[in-house]
Short mmCIF file of all heavy atoms in Angstrom, two decimals:
data_model
loop_
_atom_site.label_atom_id
_atom_site.label_comp_id
_atom_site.label_asym_id
_atom_site.label_seq_id
_atom_site.Cartn_x
_atom_site.Cartn_y
_atom_site.Cartn_z
N MET A 1 -159.16 95.13 38.09
CA MET A 1 -159.90 94.10 37.35
C MET A 1 -159.27 92.73 37.63
O MET A 1 -158.07 92.59 37.67
CB MET A 1 -159.81 94.43 35.85
CG MET A 1 -160.42 93.38 34.97
SD MET A 1 -160.31 93.92 33.24
CE MET A 1 -160.41 92.35 32.44
N PHE A 2 -160.19 91.76 37.83
CA PHE A 2 -159.71 90.41 38.15
C PHE A 2 -160.21 89.42 37.09
O PHE A 2 -161.29 89.61 36.52
CB PHE A 2 -160.23 89.98 39.53
CG PHE A 2 -159.71 90.80 40.65
CD1 PHE A 2 -160.35 91.97 41.06
CD2 PHE A 2 -158.55 90.43 41.32
CE1 PHE A 2 -159.88 92.74 42.10
CE2 PHE A 2 -158.06 91.19 42.38
CZ PHE A 2 -158.72 92.35 42.76
N ILE A 3 -159.41 88.40 36.88
CA ILE A 3 -159.78 87.33 35.94
C ILE A 3 -159.75 86.01 36.70
O ILE A 3 -158.77 85.71 37.40
CB ILE A 3 -158.78 87.23 34.77
CG1 ILE A 3 -158.66 88.57 34.04
CG2 ILE A 3 -159.18 86.10 33.83
CD1 ILE A 3 -159.76 88.85 33.07
N VAL A 4 -160.81 85.22 36.58
CA VAL A 4 -160.85 83.93 37.25
C VAL A 4 -160.79 82.81 36.22
O VAL A 4 -161.37 82.92 35.13
CB VAL A 4 -162.12 83.79 38.12
CG1 VAL A 4 -163.39 83.92 37.29
CG2 VAL A 4 -162.11 82.48 38.88
N SER A 5 -160.10 81.75 36.57
CA SER A 5 -160.06 80.56 35.69
C SER A 5 -160.02 79.31 36.56
O SER A 5 -159.59 79.34 37.72
CB SER A 5 -158.84 80.62 34.77
OG SER A 5 -157.64 80.63 35.53
N ILE A 6 -160.53 78.21 36.00
CA ILE A 6 -160.52 76.93 36.70
C ILE A 6 -159.79 75.90 35.84
O ILE A 6 -160.08 75.77 34.65
CB ILE A 6 -161.96 76.43 36.98
CG1 ILE A 6 -162.66 77.38 37.95
CG2 ILE A 6 -161.93 75.01 37.54
CD1 ILE A 6 -164.10 76.99 38.24
N ASP A 7 -158.84 75.22 36.44
CA ASP A 7 -158.13 74.15 35.74
C ASP A 7 -159.01 72.90 35.72
O ASP A 7 -159.22 72.28 36.77
CB ASP A 7 -156.80 73.87 36.44
CG ASP A 7 -156.01 72.77 35.74
OD1 ASP A 7 -156.41 72.37 34.63
OD2 ASP A 7 -155.02 72.30 36.31
N GLU A 8 -159.50 72.56 34.58
CA GLU A 8 -160.44 71.45 34.42
C GLU A 8 -159.83 70.13 34.91
O GLU A 8 -160.52 69.28 35.48
CB GLU A 8 -160.85 71.33 32.95
CG GLU A 8 -161.88 70.23 32.69
CD GLU A 8 -162.34 70.21 31.26
OE1 GLU A 8 -162.00 71.14 30.49
OE2 GLU A 8 -163.04 69.25 30.88
N ASP A 9 -158.56 69.95 34.69
CA ASP A 9 -157.91 68.68 35.07
C ASP A 9 -157.75 68.55 36.59
O ASP A 9 -157.67 67.45 37.11
CB ASP A 9 -156.53 68.56 34.40
CG ASP A 9 -156.66 68.44 32.89
OD1 ASP A 9 -157.70 67.95 32.42
OD2 ASP A 9 -155.73 68.85 32.20
N THR A 10 -157.71 69.67 37.28
CA THR A 10 -157.50 69.65 38.73
C THR A 10 -158.81 69.67 39.51
O THR A 10 -158.87 69.16 40.62
CB THR A 10 -156.64 70.87 39.14
OG1 THR A 10 -155.48 70.91 38.33
CG2 THR A 10 -156.22 70.78 40.60
N CYS A 11 -159.85 70.25 38.94
CA CYS A 11 -161.14 70.37 39.61
C CYS A 11 -161.73 68.98 39.91
O CYS A 11 -161.77 68.12 39.05
CB CYS A 11 -162.10 71.16 38.71
SG CYS A 11 -163.79 71.24 39.35
N THR A 12 -162.19 68.80 41.15
CA THR A 12 -162.78 67.53 41.55
C THR A 12 -164.31 67.56 41.49
O THR A 12 -164.97 66.57 41.77
CB THR A 12 -162.37 67.19 42.99
OG1 THR A 12 -162.85 68.22 43.86
CG2 THR A 12 -160.84 67.08 43.11
N GLY A 13 -164.88 68.71 41.16
CA GLY A 13 -166.33 68.81 41.01
C GLY A 13 -167.09 68.90 42.32
O GLY A 13 -168.28 68.59 42.37
N CYS A 14 -166.44 69.36 43.37
CA CYS A 14 -167.13 69.45 44.66
C CYS A 14 -168.19 70.56 44.67
O CYS A 14 -169.12 70.55 45.46
CB CYS A 14 -166.12 69.69 45.78
SG CYS A 14 -165.35 71.32 45.73
N ASN A 15 -168.00 71.55 43.80
CA ASN A 15 -168.95 72.65 43.59
C ASN A 15 -169.05 73.63 44.77
O ASN A 15 -169.97 74.41 44.82
CB ASN A 15 -170.33 72.14 43.22
CG ASN A 15 -171.16 73.22 42.53
OD1 ASN A 15 -170.61 74.06 41.82
ND2 ASN A 15 -172.45 73.21 42.72
N LEU A 16 -168.15 73.59 45.68
CA LEU A 16 -168.18 74.54 46.79
C LEU A 16 -167.94 75.96 46.31
O LEU A 16 -168.49 76.92 46.84
CB LEU A 16 -167.13 74.17 47.84
CG LEU A 16 -167.39 72.87 48.60
CD1 LEU A 16 -166.21 72.55 49.50
CD2 LEU A 16 -168.67 72.96 49.40
N CYS A 17 -167.14 76.10 45.27
CA CYS A 17 -166.81 77.43 44.78
C CYS A 17 -168.01 78.14 44.19
O CYS A 17 -168.25 79.31 44.46
CB CYS A 17 -165.70 77.35 43.75
SG CYS A 17 -166.09 76.25 42.36
N ALA A 18 -168.78 77.43 43.39
CA ALA A 18 -169.92 78.05 42.71
C ALA A 18 -170.96 78.54 43.72
O ALA A 18 -171.56 79.61 43.54
CB ALA A 18 -170.56 77.07 41.73
N GLU A 19 -171.16 77.78 44.75
CA GLU A 19 -172.17 78.15 45.74
C GLU A 19 -171.82 79.45 46.46
O GLU A 19 -172.70 80.17 46.90
CB GLU A 19 -172.31 77.02 46.77
CG GLU A 19 -172.91 75.76 46.15
CD GLU A 19 -172.88 74.59 47.12
OE1 GLU A 19 -172.40 74.77 48.26
OE2 GLU A 19 -173.32 73.51 46.72
N GLY A 20 -170.54 79.74 46.55
CA GLY A 20 -170.14 80.92 47.32
C GLY A 20 -169.76 82.13 46.49
O GLY A 20 -169.38 83.15 47.04
N CYS A 21 -169.86 82.02 45.18
CA CYS A 21 -169.43 83.15 44.32
C CYS A 21 -170.52 84.22 44.28
O CYS A 21 -171.60 83.99 43.74
CB CYS A 21 -169.14 82.67 42.92
SG CYS A 21 -168.71 84.02 41.79
N PRO A 22 -170.25 85.41 44.82
CA PRO A 22 -171.26 86.47 44.84
C PRO A 22 -171.58 86.99 43.44
O PRO A 22 -172.65 87.57 43.23
CB PRO A 22 -170.63 87.55 45.72
CG PRO A 22 -169.17 87.31 45.61
CD PRO A 22 -169.00 85.83 45.46
N ALA A 23 -170.69 86.78 42.50
CA ALA A 23 -170.92 87.28 41.14
C ALA A 23 -171.56 86.20 40.26
O ALA A 23 -171.86 86.44 39.09
CB ALA A 23 -169.60 87.74 40.52
N ARG A 24 -171.74 85.02 40.82
CA ARG A 24 -172.36 83.90 40.09
C ARG A 24 -171.69 83.62 38.74
O ARG A 24 -172.34 83.49 37.71
CB ARG A 24 -173.86 84.15 39.89
CG ARG A 24 -174.63 84.29 41.21
CD ARG A 24 -176.11 84.14 41.04
NE ARG A 24 -176.79 84.03 42.32
CZ ARG A 24 -176.90 82.91 43.03
NH1 ARG A 24 -176.36 81.80 42.61
NH2 ARG A 24 -177.56 82.91 44.17
N LEU A 25 -170.39 83.52 38.81
CA LEU A 25 -169.63 83.29 37.58
C LEU A 25 -169.34 81.81 37.34
O LEU A 25 -168.91 81.44 36.25
CB LEU A 25 -168.29 84.04 37.65
CG LEU A 25 -168.36 85.55 37.82
CD1 LEU A 25 -166.96 86.13 37.93
CD2 LEU A 25 -169.10 86.17 36.66
N LEU A 26 -169.58 81.00 38.36
CA LEU A 26 -169.14 79.60 38.30
C LEU A 26 -170.36 78.67 38.28
O LEU A 26 -171.31 78.88 39.02
CB LEU A 26 -168.26 79.28 39.50
CG LEU A 26 -167.19 80.33 39.83
CD1 LEU A 26 -166.44 79.95 41.10
CD2 LEU A 26 -166.23 80.47 38.66
N THR A 27 -170.31 77.64 37.44
CA THR A 27 -171.44 76.74 37.29
C THR A 27 -170.98 75.29 37.25
O THR A 27 -170.04 74.95 36.53
CB THR A 27 -172.20 77.04 35.97
OG1 THR A 27 -172.54 78.41 35.94
CG2 THR A 27 -173.47 76.18 35.87
N PHE A 28 -171.64 74.45 38.04
CA PHE A 28 -171.37 73.02 38.01
C PHE A 28 -172.07 72.39 36.82
O PHE A 28 -173.26 72.62 36.60
CB PHE A 28 -171.87 72.38 39.31
CG PHE A 28 -171.67 70.89 39.36
CD1 PHE A 28 -170.40 70.36 39.54
CD2 PHE A 28 -172.74 70.02 39.20
CE1 PHE A 28 -170.20 68.99 39.59
CE2 PHE A 28 -172.56 68.64 39.25
CZ PHE A 28 -171.29 68.14 39.45
N LYS A 29 -171.34 71.60 36.05
CA LYS A 29 -171.92 70.91 34.89
C LYS A 29 -171.97 69.42 35.19
O LYS A 29 -170.93 68.76 35.33
CB LYS A 29 -171.10 71.19 33.63
CG LYS A 29 -171.17 72.65 33.20
CD LYS A 29 -170.62 72.86 31.82
CE LYS A 29 -170.82 74.32 31.38
NZ LYS A 29 -170.29 74.57 30.03
N GLU A 30 -173.19 68.92 35.33
CA GLU A 30 -173.39 67.53 35.73
C GLU A 30 -172.81 66.54 34.73
O GLU A 30 -172.26 65.51 35.10
CB GLU A 30 -174.88 67.25 35.91
CG GLU A 30 -175.41 67.80 37.22
CD GLU A 30 -176.82 67.31 37.51
OE1 GLU A 30 -177.16 66.20 37.09
OE2 GLU A 30 -177.57 68.06 38.15
N ASP A 31 -172.90 66.84 33.45
CA ASP A 31 -172.40 65.90 32.46
C ASP A 31 -170.89 65.74 32.51
O ASP A 31 -170.34 64.71 32.14
CB ASP A 31 -172.85 66.32 31.04
CG ASP A 31 -172.39 67.72 30.67
OD1 ASP A 31 -172.19 68.54 31.57
OD2 ASP A 31 -172.22 67.96 29.47
N LYS A 32 -170.21 66.77 33.01
CA LYS A 32 -168.74 66.73 33.12
C LYS A 32 -168.30 66.43 34.56
O LYS A 32 -167.14 66.10 34.80
CB LYS A 32 -168.14 68.06 32.69
CG LYS A 32 -168.50 68.49 31.27
CD LYS A 32 -167.50 67.99 30.28
CE LYS A 32 -167.73 68.65 28.93
NZ LYS A 32 -166.76 68.18 27.92
N ASN A 33 -169.21 66.61 35.51
CA ASN A 33 -168.93 66.48 36.94
C ASN A 33 -167.80 67.41 37.37
O ASN A 33 -166.94 67.05 38.17
CB ASN A 33 -168.58 65.03 37.29
CG ASN A 33 -168.76 64.77 38.77
OD1 ASN A 33 -169.66 65.32 39.40
ND2 ASN A 33 -167.89 63.95 39.34
N LYS A 34 -167.80 68.61 36.82
CA LYS A 34 -166.83 69.63 37.18
C LYS A 34 -167.50 71.00 37.13
O LYS A 34 -168.59 71.15 36.59
CB LYS A 34 -165.63 69.61 36.19
CG LYS A 34 -164.78 68.36 36.29
CD LYS A 34 -163.66 68.36 35.28
CE LYS A 34 -162.91 67.05 35.28
NZ LYS A 34 -162.12 66.83 36.49
N THR A 35 -166.81 71.98 37.70
CA THR A 35 -167.34 73.34 37.70
C THR A 35 -166.53 74.20 36.74
O THR A 35 -165.31 74.08 36.68
CB THR A 35 -167.30 73.91 39.13
OG1 THR A 35 -168.15 73.11 39.95
CG2 THR A 35 -167.78 75.35 39.17
N TYR A 36 -167.24 75.06 36.03
CA TYR A 36 -166.60 75.89 35.00
C TYR A 36 -166.93 77.37 35.23
O TYR A 36 -167.94 77.70 35.85
CB TYR A 36 -167.10 75.48 33.61
CG TYR A 36 -166.70 74.09 33.23
CD1 TYR A 36 -167.46 72.99 33.61
CD2 TYR A 36 -165.53 73.87 32.50
CE1 TYR A 36 -167.07 71.71 33.28
CE2 TYR A 36 -165.14 72.59 32.15
CZ TYR A 36 -165.92 71.51 32.55
OH TYR A 36 -165.54 70.23 32.21
N VAL A 37 -166.08 78.21 34.68
CA VAL A 37 -166.39 79.64 34.64
C VAL A 37 -167.35 79.84 33.48
O VAL A 37 -166.97 79.72 32.33
CB VAL A 37 -165.10 80.49 34.44
CG1 VAL A 37 -165.46 81.97 34.39
CG2 VAL A 37 -164.10 80.20 35.52
N THR A 38 -168.59 80.15 33.81
CA THR A 38 -169.61 80.30 32.76
C THR A 38 -170.07 81.74 32.63
O THR A 38 -170.72 82.10 31.65
CB THR A 38 -170.82 79.41 33.06
OG1 THR A 38 -171.25 79.66 34.38
CG2 THR A 38 -170.48 77.95 32.90
N GLY A 39 -169.76 82.57 33.62
CA GLY A 39 -170.08 83.99 33.50
C GLY A 39 -168.92 84.71 32.83
O GLY A 39 -167.95 84.07 32.36
N ASP A 40 -169.01 86.02 32.77
CA ASP A 40 -167.91 86.82 32.20
C ASP A 40 -166.75 86.80 33.19
O ASP A 40 -166.85 87.37 34.27
CB ASP A 40 -168.41 88.24 31.97
CG ASP A 40 -167.35 89.10 31.31
OD1 ASP A 40 -166.18 88.71 31.26
OD2 ASP A 40 -167.71 90.21 30.84
N GLU A 41 -165.68 86.14 32.81
CA GLU A 41 -164.53 85.98 33.72
C GLU A 41 -164.00 87.33 34.20
O GLU A 41 -163.43 87.42 35.29
CB GLU A 41 -163.40 85.21 33.04
CG GLU A 41 -162.85 85.92 31.80
CD GLU A 41 -161.77 85.14 31.10
OE1 GLU A 41 -161.57 83.97 31.44
OE2 GLU A 41 -161.14 85.72 30.19
N CYS A 42 -164.23 88.36 33.43
CA CYS A 42 -163.75 89.70 33.79
C CYS A 42 -164.61 90.36 34.87
O CYS A 42 -164.24 91.40 35.41
CB CYS A 42 -163.71 90.60 32.56
SG CYS A 42 -162.59 90.01 31.28
N GLU A 43 -165.75 89.78 35.18
CA GLU A 43 -166.61 90.34 36.21
C GLU A 43 -166.26 89.82 37.60
O GLU A 43 -166.91 90.13 38.58
CB GLU A 43 -168.08 90.06 35.89
CG GLU A 43 -168.58 90.83 34.68
CD GLU A 43 -170.06 90.68 34.45
OE1 GLU A 43 -170.74 90.04 35.27
OE2 GLU A 43 -170.54 91.20 33.43
N CYS A 44 -165.22 89.01 37.67
CA CYS A 44 -164.73 88.54 38.96
C CYS A 44 -164.35 89.73 39.83
O CYS A 44 -163.67 90.64 39.38
CB CYS A 44 -163.54 87.62 38.74
SG CYS A 44 -162.72 87.13 40.26
N MET A 45 -164.80 89.70 41.10
CA MET A 45 -164.53 90.79 42.03
C MET A 45 -163.26 90.59 42.83
O MET A 45 -162.89 91.43 43.65
CB MET A 45 -165.73 90.95 42.97
CG MET A 45 -167.02 91.25 42.23
SD MET A 45 -168.41 91.55 43.32
CE MET A 45 -168.69 89.92 43.98
N GLY A 46 -162.63 89.45 42.65
CA GLY A 46 -161.38 89.20 43.36
C GLY A 46 -161.56 88.94 44.84
O GLY A 46 -160.63 89.10 45.63
N CYS A 47 -162.75 88.50 45.24
CA CYS A 47 -163.02 88.31 46.68
C CYS A 47 -162.33 87.07 47.25
O CYS A 47 -162.19 86.94 48.45
CB CYS A 47 -164.52 88.21 46.90
SG CYS A 47 -165.29 86.72 46.21
N GLU A 48 -161.93 86.17 46.37
CA GLU A 48 -161.23 84.92 46.76
C GLU A 48 -162.10 83.96 47.54
O GLU A 48 -161.60 83.03 48.19
CB GLU A 48 -159.95 85.23 47.56
CG GLU A 48 -158.94 86.09 46.80
CD GLU A 48 -158.03 85.32 45.86
OE1 GLU A 48 -158.18 84.09 45.77
OE2 GLU A 48 -157.21 85.95 45.18
N ALA A 49 -163.41 84.17 47.54
CA ALA A 49 -164.30 83.22 48.22
C ALA A 49 -164.18 81.84 47.59
O ALA A 49 -164.24 80.81 48.27
CB ALA A 49 -165.74 83.70 48.13
N CYS A 50 -163.98 81.80 46.29
CA CYS A 50 -163.87 80.51 45.60
C CYS A 50 -162.55 79.81 45.90
O CYS A 50 -162.53 78.62 46.21
CB CYS A 50 -164.03 80.71 44.09
SG CYS A 50 -162.89 81.92 43.39
N THR A 51 -161.47 80.55 45.84
CA THR A 51 -160.17 79.92 46.08
C THR A 51 -160.02 79.45 47.52
O THR A 51 -159.34 78.46 47.79
CB THR A 51 -159.02 80.89 45.73
OG1 THR A 51 -159.21 82.10 46.47
CG2 THR A 51 -159.00 81.21 44.24
N SER A 52 -160.69 80.14 48.43
CA SER A 52 -160.55 79.80 49.85
C SER A 52 -161.23 78.47 50.18
O SER A 52 -160.87 77.82 51.17
CB SER A 52 -161.09 80.91 50.74
OG SER A 52 -162.49 81.04 50.58
N VAL A 53 -162.21 78.06 49.39
CA VAL A 53 -162.90 76.79 49.67
C VAL A 53 -162.41 75.65 48.76
O VAL A 53 -162.76 74.50 48.98
CB VAL A 53 -164.44 76.91 49.53
CG1 VAL A 53 -164.99 77.86 50.59
CG2 VAL A 53 -164.84 77.35 48.13
N CYS A 54 -161.65 75.99 47.75
CA CYS A 54 -161.18 74.96 46.81
C CYS A 54 -159.97 74.22 47.37
O CYS A 54 -158.87 74.78 47.42
CB CYS A 54 -160.83 75.58 45.46
SG CYS A 54 -160.31 74.34 44.25
N GLU A 55 -160.19 72.99 47.79
CA GLU A 55 -159.11 72.23 48.41
C GLU A 55 -158.10 71.69 47.40
O GLU A 55 -157.01 71.30 47.76
CB GLU A 55 -159.70 71.08 49.23
CG GLU A 55 -160.52 71.58 50.41
CD GLU A 55 -161.05 70.46 51.28
OE1 GLU A 55 -160.90 69.29 50.87
OE2 GLU A 55 -161.61 70.76 52.34
N SER A 56 -158.49 71.65 46.14
CA SER A 56 -157.58 71.11 45.13
C SER A 56 -156.72 72.19 44.47
O SER A 56 -155.81 71.88 43.70
CB SER A 56 -158.38 70.38 44.04
OG SER A 56 -159.24 71.28 43.36
N GLY A 57 -156.99 73.44 44.77
CA GLY A 57 -156.20 74.52 44.19
C GLY A 57 -156.43 74.68 42.69
O GLY A 57 -155.51 75.08 41.95
N ALA A 58 -157.64 74.38 42.25
CA ALA A 58 -157.92 74.41 40.80
C ALA A 58 -158.24 75.81 40.28
O ALA A 58 -158.23 76.03 39.07
CB ALA A 58 -159.10 73.49 40.50
N ILE A 59 -158.52 76.74 41.21
CA ILE A 59 -158.98 78.07 40.78
C ILE A 59 -157.83 79.08 40.87
O ILE A 59 -157.09 79.12 41.85
CB ILE A 59 -160.13 78.57 41.66
CG1 ILE A 59 -161.22 77.49 41.77
CG2 ILE A 59 -160.71 79.86 41.09
CD1 ILE A 59 -162.32 77.85 42.73
N THR A 60 -157.74 79.89 39.84
CA THR A 60 -156.75 80.96 39.84
C THR A 60 -157.46 82.29 39.64
O THR A 60 -158.29 82.45 38.74
CB THR A 60 -155.72 80.79 38.70
OG1 THR A 60 -155.11 79.49 38.84
CG2 THR A 60 -154.65 81.86 38.75
N VAL A 61 -157.19 83.24 40.53
CA VAL A 61 -157.73 84.60 40.40
C VAL A 61 -156.52 85.54 40.29
O VAL A 61 -155.68 85.57 41.17
CB VAL A 61 -158.59 84.97 41.62
CG1 VAL A 61 -159.05 86.42 41.53
CG2 VAL A 61 -159.81 84.06 41.72
N VAL A 62 -156.48 86.26 39.20
CA VAL A 62 -155.34 87.16 39.01
C VAL A 62 -155.86 88.58 38.78
O VAL A 62 -156.90 88.79 38.14
CB VAL A 62 -154.45 86.74 37.82
CG1 VAL A 62 -153.75 85.43 38.12
CG2 VAL A 62 -155.24 86.65 36.53
N GLU A 63 -155.13 89.55 39.30
CA GLU A 63 -155.47 90.95 39.09
C GLU A 63 -154.73 91.44 37.86
O GLU A 63 -153.51 91.25 37.74
CB GLU A 63 -155.09 91.78 40.32
CG GLU A 63 -155.57 93.23 40.20
CD GLU A 63 -155.45 93.99 41.51
OE1 GLU A 63 -154.84 93.44 42.46
OE2 GLU A 63 -155.98 95.11 41.59
N MET A 64 -155.45 92.07 36.95
CA MET A 64 -154.85 92.53 35.70
C MET A 64 -154.50 94.02 35.80
O MET A 64 -155.21 94.77 36.45
CB MET A 64 -155.79 92.29 34.53
CG MET A 64 -156.23 90.84 34.40
SD MET A 64 -154.86 89.71 34.08
CE MET A 64 -154.57 90.08 32.36
S1 SF4 B 101 -164.00 74.24 44.70
FE1 SF4 B 101 -162.32 73.66 43.34
S2 SF4 B 101 -162.48 71.44 43.12
FE2 SF4 B 101 -164.45 72.18 43.93
S3 SF4 B 101 -165.71 72.53 42.09
FE3 SF4 B 101 -164.71 74.46 42.57
S4 SF4 B 101 -162.82 74.46 41.31
FE4 SF4 B 101 -163.58 72.36 41.40
S1 SF4 B 102 -162.96 85.60 43.36
FE1 SF4 B 102 -165.05 85.95 44.15
S2 SF4 B 102 -166.15 86.89 42.44
FE2 SF4 B 102 -164.30 85.97 41.59
S3 SF4 B 102 -164.96 83.95 40.87
FE3 SF4 B 102 -164.14 83.73 42.96
S4 SF4 B 102 -165.90 83.87 44.32
FE4 SF4 B 102 -166.52 84.68 42.30
#
């Protein structure tokens, strides 16, 4: 089981992560200009597609 989280202070709002998430757990919020984990964080598959495109290192995926 994997848990995904995004550091709001580090995220630049590029939204590359959300576009590539096969589980559709990540959503860009225009009013905040950042991307958030809006799906069930526990449904993360641990594929690291999001972390591999995040240049700011804002995303953390941990195996529980
Ligand atoms: S890829 Fe990183 S910086 Fe870009 S929206 Fe996602 S978490 Fe934020
Ligand atoms: S590790 Fe994969 S499934 Fe989990 S949030 Fe990132 S892109 Fe989505």
Side-chain angles (χ1 to χ4, degrees):
M1 175 177 157
F2 295 88
I3 303 280
V4 60
S5 61
I6 295 178
D7 180 10
E8 183 176 351
D9 293 333
T10 309
C11 175
T12 62
C14 69
N15 201 32
L16 292 174
C17 56
E19 293 173 0
C21 176
R24 299 197 170 277
L25 300 178
L26 315 176
T27 306
F28 178 73
K29 293 192 175 180
E30 283 190 30
D31 58 333
K32 302 269 191 180
N33 200 35
K34 292 178 186 291
T35 297
Y36 295 86
V37 179
T38 52
D40 183 346
E41 62 182 10
C42 298
E43 291 187 4
C44 173
M45 300 184 290
C47 68
E48 301 277 0
C50 55
T51 54
S52 66
V53 295
C54 182
E55 295 183 352
S56 63
I59 310 174
T60 303
V61 175
V62 293
E63 186 169 10
M64 304 298 284

